[in-house]
Amino acid sequence: MTEVERAWRADFAWRQGWSKDVVLAVDGTGRWREAAGAASAERAGRWVLPGMPNLHSHAFQRAMAGLAERRGRSDDSFWSWRETMYAFAAAIGPEALQAIAAQLYVEMLKAGYTQVCEFHYLHHQPDGTPYALPKAMSLALVEAAREAGIALTLLPVLYMTGGFDGRPLAARQRRFGHDVSGYLRLLEALRRHEGPAVRVGIALHSLRAVPEEAMRAVLASGLAQDGPIHIHIAEQLGEVQDCLALRGARPVEWLLDHAQVDARWTLVHATHLTGHETSRLARSGAVAGLCPSTEANLGDGLFPLADYLDAGGTLGIGSDSHISVSPVEELRWLEYGQRLSTRHRNIAARGQGESVGETLWRAALRGGAQAAGLPVGELGPGHRADLLVLDEPSPLLAARGTDAVLDSFVFAGNQQLVRHVLCGGEWVVRDFHHRDEERIAARYRAVVEELARS
Ligand SMILES: [Zn+2]
């Protein structure tokens, strides 16, 4: 079972920093193992990196990327974008979801993501009636990930109320909704699909959508005693104000006071934090799930990156609404937002001489793996055999040594620099080409054209 099946040689492989002449061996379960005895390693390339986990995705939103960029009648914000999203979501069933998600996952792999955490709330038929198979929409995502060859952390979302005041879901939100027992039944049914490339965790949509007693009941259940727990939090100032008014505390403060927030948790966005919340969140060991391109697109605000890193906080990145699908662009936006607001450079590197690209890539690997709840993000024994090979002949990497290659990858140019991608010991992208991309793209195009007509 754990014999060496195949092995590759990297001129340089990223293991927290660059190591020279590394042999990477895969066992029969698709994980890295000790390379001893792997003499017949084939050369993978010059620059080999671990694949990046994408810790926050709503796959269906890929098909509406670019459809909400026209000014409306009043001030546009997250809330006006949400209207477009709701209208779009209403038309998507399991087959369409699978087609959209498979296309998205191919794009993720080609960009360098090898793991996706799917924050999935599109559960029922548009009028709120469960499908004959209640997990049909969840299984569409499992199947899409299998087709694309990406690993999945599926996070079925508990979504119960339309606001902090406990108002019922609006008509167009009904397909998102569960009571606690219905939610736990779904979770239990999905746990049966776990395997080396599928992990199932828990997601609470947000404090405004999950009443306190329901949160307690889910977290106390036997099904919640392991695996990742994700929640949207403090993305919007309106949400902070409502939480203050109805729960007497800011969202992150309230959550830290009312749940055992630890390394199993990912707080998605956590944009609006006081200094005290920032240091408490950092100390909790939870992951701040940052989605800079979506947060910029929606006009959310900026995360206090420097203070959080100085407090030892853990972070990862997600493409969330998929207005952009690129780890490089997320990391660029994360750093550039800080530069623009502070009028300084090189913010994420906190020590003199440190590289910003290396600091960000290292941090996002670690936090992303923690958020995914799977052994990923490292080119070391026991971790899933995922890797990226950068495009050695690219002019962008000419004359780059170990001190500059990752900064060039993260910050320079707009050409794709990820040439080959291995996921779970299988090549899914070779020479910029995904093994099934034509079929998946043709099906996607047909589905989106149909949605546009409806
Ligand atoms: Zn989200």
Side-chain angles (χ1 to χ4, degrees):
M1 195 66 171
T2 54
E3 283 166 49
V4 174
E5 292 239 314
R6 276 165 303 163
W8 293 277
R9 191 177 301 278
D11 298 2
F12 295 93
W14 177 265
R15 286 176 157 168
Q16 309 302 318
W18 290 111
S19 300
K20 200 170 186 317
D21 292 329
V22 174
V23 174
L24 298 160
V26 180
D27 70 18
T29 68
R31 293 188 182 202
W32 299 122
R33 51 151 292 155
E34 290 297 343
S40 59
E42 174 190 330
R43 183 171 179 271
R46 183 164 179 79
W47 304 112
V48 173
L49 293 163
M52 179 60 71
N54 184 338
L55 60 61
H56 193 63
S57 164
H58 308 284
F60 77 91
Q61 293 178 15
R62 166 64 184 80
M64 58 167 281
L67 295 183
E69 307 301 323
R70 188 174 291 271
R71 192 177 173 97
R73 268 178 293 186
S74 59
D75 272 0
D76 285 356
S77 68
F78 169 85
W79 309 104
S80 54
W81 170 86
R82 197 175 72 158
E83 293 305 310
T84 308
M85 185 269 280
Y86 280 167
F88 199 83
I92 296 175
E95 276 183 30
L97 181 60
Q98 184 176 334
I100 294 166
Q103 172 64 23
L104 170 69
Y105 297 160
V106 166
E107 292 168 5
M108 284 187 189
L109 287 164
K110 291 173 74 169
Y113 291 120
T114 47
Q115 169 84 36
V116 56
C117 300
E118 193 59 46
F119 196 101
H120 168 57
Y121 55 82
L122 218 50
H123 298 299
H124 311 306
Q125 299 182 58
D127 68 354
T129 315
Y131 286 96
L133 183 63
K135 61 183 175 183
M137 292 293 269
S138 301
L139 292 190
L141 295 166
V142 172
E143 198 47 33
R146 191 195 58 74
E147 283 186 272
I150 199 168
L152 172 70
T153 298
L154 180 60
L155 303 160
V157 173
L158 177 63
Y159 199 132
M160 298 178 70
T161 54
F164 280 100
D165 55 5
R167 78 187 78 153
L169 297 179
R172 64 210 170 158
Q173 295 171 318
R174 272 188 210 128
R175 69 182 310 197
F176 312 156
H178 280 104
D179 58 17
V180 169
S181 59
Y183 177 74
L184 292 175
R185 278 198 302 279
L186 175 67
L187 198 58
E188 189 168 26
L190 292 176
R191 281 273 158 87
R192 289 180 221 134
H193 298 270
E194 287 195 312
V198 180
R199 179 83 158 118
V200 175
I202 286 171
L204 309 172
H205 180 273
S206 54
L207 294 181
R208 71 173 186 274
V210 179
E212 179 177 353
E213 317 77 68
M215 178 185 88
R216 288 190 192 289
V218 167
L219 296 178
S221 109
L223 292 165
Q225 301 316 305
D226 61 17
I229 305 167
H230 290 219
I231 184 169
H232 285 138
I233 200 156
E235 179 179 11
Q236 296 295 323
L237 284 173
E239 173 197 345
V240 175
Q241 284 152 6
D242 288 354
C243 193
L244 270 167
L246 283 138
R247 295 199 187 173
R250 301 168 59 84
V252 169
E253 181 185 22
W254 188 92
L255 185 70
L256 292 169
D257 285 342
H258 290 82
Q260 294 283 332
V261 174
D262 58 17
R264 289 174 60 205
W265 285 73
T266 295
L267 275 61
V268 180
H269 305 302
T271 308
H272 299 287
L273 301 177
T274 62
H276 187 57
E277 285 176 305
T278 305
S279 54
R280 282 187 72 193
L281 177 57
R283 280 200 308 273
S284 74
V287 181
L290 308 179
C291 308
S293 70
T294 293
E295 289 154 8
N297 185 270
L298 297 180
D300 288 345
L302 284 173
F303 178 79
L305 181 67
D307 289 346
Y308 186 69
L309 291 175
D310 286 345
T314 304
L315 62 84
I317 50 165
S319 58
D320 190 0
S321 71
H322 315 302
I323 192 70
S324 167
V325 182
S326 160
V328 158
E329 194 173 10
E330 297 307 331
L331 296 176
R332 263 185 215 176
W333 269 102
L334 180 55
E335 170 69 20
Y336 284 169
Q338 307 293 320
R339 292 189 191 186
L340 287 164
S341 66
T342 62
R343 299 191 294 279
H344 284 89
R345 301 188 70 247
N346 301 336
I347 307 297
R350 304 306 293 155
Q352 194 180 353
E354 274 178 27
S355 145
V356 177
E358 290 187 10
T359 303
L360 287 173
W361 194 268
R362 186 185 292 120
L365 282 175
R366 188 167 84 91
Q370 189 177 314
L374 279 170
V376 295
E378 274 187 54
L379 301 175
H383 290 262
R384 205 181 53 235
D386 303 344
L387 62 74
L388 318 177
V389 183
L390 298 187
D391 184 33
E392 191 176 337
S394 169
L396 285 167
L397 299 182
R400 293 295 182 269
T402 51
D403 59 334
V405 68
L406 210 46
D407 285 326
S408 296
F409 172 47
V410 171
F411 290 106
N414 295 299
Q415 284 175 27
Q416 177 58 274
L417 286 176
V418 175
R419 187 177 184 114
H420 311 300
V421 179
L422 186 86
C423 190
E426 301 289 330
W427 290 111
V428 285
V429 175
R430 291 295 289 175
D431 294 318
F432 310 106
H433 184 265
H434 181 274
R435 63 187 185 191
D436 202 11
E437 69 175 66
E438 286 81 8
R439 182 188 69 83
I440 288 171
R443 186 182 59 178
Y444 172 81
R445 200 169 288 114
V447 161
V448 173
E449 282 167 3
E450 181 66 36
L451 286 172
R453 279 195 293 272
S454 66

